[in-house]
């Protein structure tokens, strides 16, 4: 990077941040109030952005509005959970009718939980499923189940893997708040088949291999078919379970990404949009493995959770998956995402922006050197340009596009193709406006 270009980037970023501060006095005021009750003014670390986060006031259709009255096309899509957008009439009707005709907390098993479970089983090719409240919980219960089934402890995961609030593995290590840290063996590169297989074969007491078929929080990096099949086979060879974390990726193909890739995981974890917009998680898979949670059997594991079968979540989740995000709608949305990614690549060719992902999920990366393909986070670690990523975020906001600061786009169903054309045009203008800074 030339010092001229670095200085120009620094000036552009400072100017963009100054405009952000000037344009968002009410968000700033809200942040100053919030720090009085919440550490850092926040209850979800990802949503904190310096110098202060934007406070959103309302969402309608494919748009959100902030406290200062700016309107944005919602490209955050609640990190994949907001798939249905903000105004789906079927979801609205289900919320009202469930309240009126079922009630919220019956303290019993219900027909609704069986209906949603049966739908999840048939849609995602699972023999049995259980519900939880979040994707984190789904992984926690699934890991406990894998350990119980195998009577082993160790779990292999991958650098850049994210399996929930207390299961994350940035830079090849369990994060400081990861639970059972000593039980995880982290393979230092995702998509490195040889390294993964040798680690699986040499790990003693291995209960399971847990992997995302596309790393989501790790930067929307798809796993190759060869890599995923090789680790599935190696896990089975050593008597360990193969666990697929589809919390983000189940929306990428009609039966989930694992089925699309021909994988046969022993356990699958899911969540996000499958609660129709409310808190949700689920884990399921082979009947024999899931039987560790069958209370009719001696020595089975307890699976507790007051809200596991909350009627509102069960009803919305069921109606949304069966009537809104149908198999056809899934294909259509992901094709729209593929077209968007191709257009973005086209208008940014030869620049420092790279787009990764699959279907309706897109990773946005800024790199200083030409990288052919990104196979894992380590491929770009040394050349990443966080300053350009921040500049992009500030300037997309100014153009009316709500994206995550970390560079992640999750399409929602209510977004029209014409609105995405507007986003592509804004990105094209961004690289033109900053031609000197953005050229490779
Ligand atoms: C792959 C993956 N697993 C698990 C989780 C955790 O889900 P939740 O935030 O619902 O706990 C996430 C959340 O982003 C995820 O992306």
């Amino acid at each position: 990077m030339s010092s001229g270009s670095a200085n120009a980037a620094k000036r552009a970023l400072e100017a963009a941040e100054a405009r952000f501060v000037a344009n968002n006095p009410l968000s700033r005021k809200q942040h100053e109030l919030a720090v009085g009750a919440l550490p850092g003014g926040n209850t979800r670390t990802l949503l904190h952005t310096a110098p202060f986060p934007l406070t959103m006031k309302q969402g309608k259709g494919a748009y959100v509005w902030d406290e200062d009255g700016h309107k944005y096309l919602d490209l955050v899509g609640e990190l994949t959970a907001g798939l249905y957008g903000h105004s789906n009439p079927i979801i609205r009707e289900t919320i009202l009718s469930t309240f009126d005709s079922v009630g919220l907390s019956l303290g019993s098993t219900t027909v609704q939980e069986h209906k949603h479970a049966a739908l999840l089983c048939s849609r995602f090719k699972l023999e049995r499923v259980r519900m939880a409240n979040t994707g984190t919980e789904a992984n926690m219960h699934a890991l406990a189940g894998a350990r119980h089934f195998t009577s082993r402890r160790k779990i292999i995961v991958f650098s850049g893997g994210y399996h929930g609030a207390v299961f994350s593995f940035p830079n090849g290590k369990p994060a400081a708040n990861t639970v059972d840290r000593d039980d995880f063996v982290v393979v230092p590169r995702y998509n490195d088949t040889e390294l993964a297989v040798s680690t699986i074969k040499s790990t003693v007491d291995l209960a399971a291999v847990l992997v995302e078929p596309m790393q989501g929080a790790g930067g929307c990096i798809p796993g190759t078919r060869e890599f995923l099949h090789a680790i599935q086979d190696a896990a089975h060879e050593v008597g360990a379970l193969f666990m697929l974390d589809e919390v983000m990726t189940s929306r990428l193909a009609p039966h989930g990404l694992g089925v699309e890739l021909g994988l046969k995981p022993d356990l699958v974890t899911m969540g996000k949009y499958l609660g129709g917009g409310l808190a949700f998680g689920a884990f399921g898979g082979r009947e024999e493995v899931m039987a560790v949670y069958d209370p009719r059997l001696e020595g089975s594991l307890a699976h507790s959770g007051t809200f596991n079968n909350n009627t509102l979540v069960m009803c919305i989740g069921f109606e949304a998956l069966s009537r809104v995000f149908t198999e056809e709608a899934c294909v259509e949305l992901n094709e729209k995402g593929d077209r968007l990614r191709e257009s973005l690549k086209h208008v940014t060719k030869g620049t420092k922006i790279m787009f990764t992902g699959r279907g309706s999920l897109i990773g946005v990366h800024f790199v200083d050197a030409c990288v052919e393909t990104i196979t894992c986070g380590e491929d770009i670690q040394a050349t990443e340009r966080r300053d350009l990523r921040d500049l992009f975020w500030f300037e997309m906001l100014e153009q009316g596009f709500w994206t995550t600061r970390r560079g992640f786009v999750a399409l929602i169903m209510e977004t029209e193709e014409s609105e995405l054309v507007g986003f592509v045009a804004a990105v094209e203008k961004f690289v033109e406006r900053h031609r000197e800074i953005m050229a490779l």
Side-chain angles (χ1 to χ4, degrees):
M1 174 182 28
S2 76
S3 64
S5 163
N7 287 337
K10 188 164 179 279
R11 281 195 304 276
L13 181 57
E14 282 166 0
E17 184 171 323
R19 294 195 301 275
F20 173 86
V21 172
N23 288 337
N24 295 288
L26 295 182
S27 276
R28 180 184 191 158
K29 198 166 157 213
Q30 180 54 40
H31 178 62
E32 285 163 2
L33 287 173
V35 294
L38 298 152
N42 175 287
T43 194
R44 206 171 148 199
T45 306
L46 166 87
L47 300 183
H48 176 73
T49 51
F52 53 84
L54 282 190
T55 301
M56 290 300 168
K57 188 175 191 171
Q58 196 195 12
K60 222 175 198 180
Y63 289 89
V64 288
W65 283 260
D66 68 18
E67 287 288 338
D68 288 281
H70 307 117
K71 177 183 178 187
Y72 305 92
L73 185 69
D74 183 0
L75 296 171
V76 171
E78 190 55 294
L79 285 299
T80 73
L83 174 72
Y84 299 108
H86 302 285
S87 307
N88 187 278
I90 291 176
I91 291 177
R92 182 179 187 278
E93 171 51 32
T94 308
I95 292 173
L96 299 176
S97 66
T98 304
F99 189 86
D100 289 343
S101 61
V102 183
L104 297 188
S105 301
L106 306 185
S108 70
T109 56
T110 63
V111 168
Q112 286 78 17
E113 78 198 68
H114 168 247
K115 273 176 74 177
H116 196 29
L119 175 64
L120 292 173
C121 282
S122 71
R123 178 81 174 247
F124 297 107
K125 311 296 172 204
L126 309 170
E127 290 173 4
R128 294 288 185 276
V129 72
R130 277 213 171 209
M131 319 294 194
N133 298 287
T134 61
T136 303
E137 265 192 20
N139 278 312
M140 184 182 75
H141 293 303
L143 287 170
R147 287 178 169 133
H148 194 75
F149 183 77
T150 58
S151 302
R152 300 179 184 178
R153 282 237 40 104
K154 296 282 183 197
I155 306 292
I156 286 184
V157 290
F158 294 84
S159 181
Y162 182 79
H163 303 287
V166 289
F167 302 114
S168 75
F169 305 93
N171 307 317
K173 287 195 290 283
N177 63 350
T178 289
V179 294
D180 297 333
R181 287 162 60 93
D182 294 342
D183 285 337
F184 289 102
V185 176
V186 189
V187 179
R189 290 177 69 89
Y190 184 67
N191 268 325
D192 187 326
T193 305
E194 213 174 298
L195 191 55
V197 168
S198 70
T199 308
I200 292 168
K201 291 192 173 169
S202 62
T203 300
V204 178
D205 201 26
L206 183 63
V209 178
L210 174 61
V211 68
E212 296 157 87
M214 176 182 85
Q215 286 195 331
C220 276
I221 302 174
T224 66
R225 193 181 277 263
E226 180 239 340
F227 166 71
L228 293 165
H229 276 270
I231 59 177
Q232 172 178 270
D233 294 348
H236 289 160
E237 212 178 295
V238 299
L241 299 186
F242 178 61
M243 295 175 57
L244 209 53
D245 183 338
E246 291 244 47
V247 171
M248 270 201 185
T249 56
S250 69
R251 56 179 270 170
L252 292 180
H255 308 294
L257 187 50
V259 170
E260 184 74 10
L261 295 172
L263 295 165
K264 292 205 162 47
D266 302 288
L267 287 172
V268 176
T269 53
M270 296 182 296
K272 302 274 191 190
Y273 71 99
L274 292 169
L278 298 187
F280 184 72
F283 61 103
R286 275 171 50 205
E287 179 183 356
E288 187 194 2
V289 180
M290 289 298 290
V292 299
Y293 281 110
D294 183 340
R296 299 167 303 177
L297 303 179
E298 185 87 16
S300 60
L301 284 177
H303 166 218
S304 308
T306 305
F307 288 97
N308 287 352
N309 64 340
N310 178 267
T311 52
L312 189 57
V313 188
M314 296 301 122
C315 290
I316 305 176
F318 175 80
E319 296 300 331
L321 186 63
S322 57
R323 295 166 62 199
V324 187
F325 197 54
T326 58
E327 293 179 26
E328 296 72 31
C330 170
V331 171
E332 199 181 301
L333 180 75
N334 286 303
E335 285 177 355
K336 198 191 275 183
D338 284 334
R339 287 193 293 278
L340 171 62
R341 189 179 311 91
E342 285 316 304
S343 302
L344 289 168
K345 281 183 181 173
H346 179 71
V347 299
T348 56
K349 215 170 170 143
T351 74
K352 293 187 171 109
I353 305 193
M354 287 188 77
F355 296 96
T356 56
R358 186 180 169 123
S360 57
L361 305 182
I362 299 177
V364 190
H365 307 267
F366 291 83
V367 288
D368 236 353
C370 189
V371 182
E372 202 59 38
T373 43
I374 302 176
T375 62
C376 61
E378 286 68 22
D379 280 349
I380 52 169
Q381 219 163 36
T383 63
E384 245 184 321
R385 289 287 302 272
R386 295 204 166 187
D387 55 339
L388 299 183
R389 187 194 67 181
D390 292 350
L391 178 64
F392 181 77
W393 185 74
F394 283 125
E395 295 206 359
M396 286 304 114
L397 288 180
E398 284 180 298
Q399 303 298 314
F401 297 99
W402 177 230
T403 66
T404 63
R405 179 87 160 239
R406 69 150 75 139
F408 181 85
V409 167
L411 292 190
I412 61 180
M413 293 182 73
E414 289 174 323
T415 309
E416 299 291 336
E417 196 107 26
S418 56
E419 292 163 323
L420 297 177
V421 169
F423 179 55
V424 175
V427 173
E428 187 171 17
K429 282 203 196 105
F430 174 83
V431 291
E432 275 170 14
R433 189 163 52 248
H434 299 294
R435 197 171 301 138
E436 187 204 344
I437 300 172
M438 292 303 299
L440 264 178

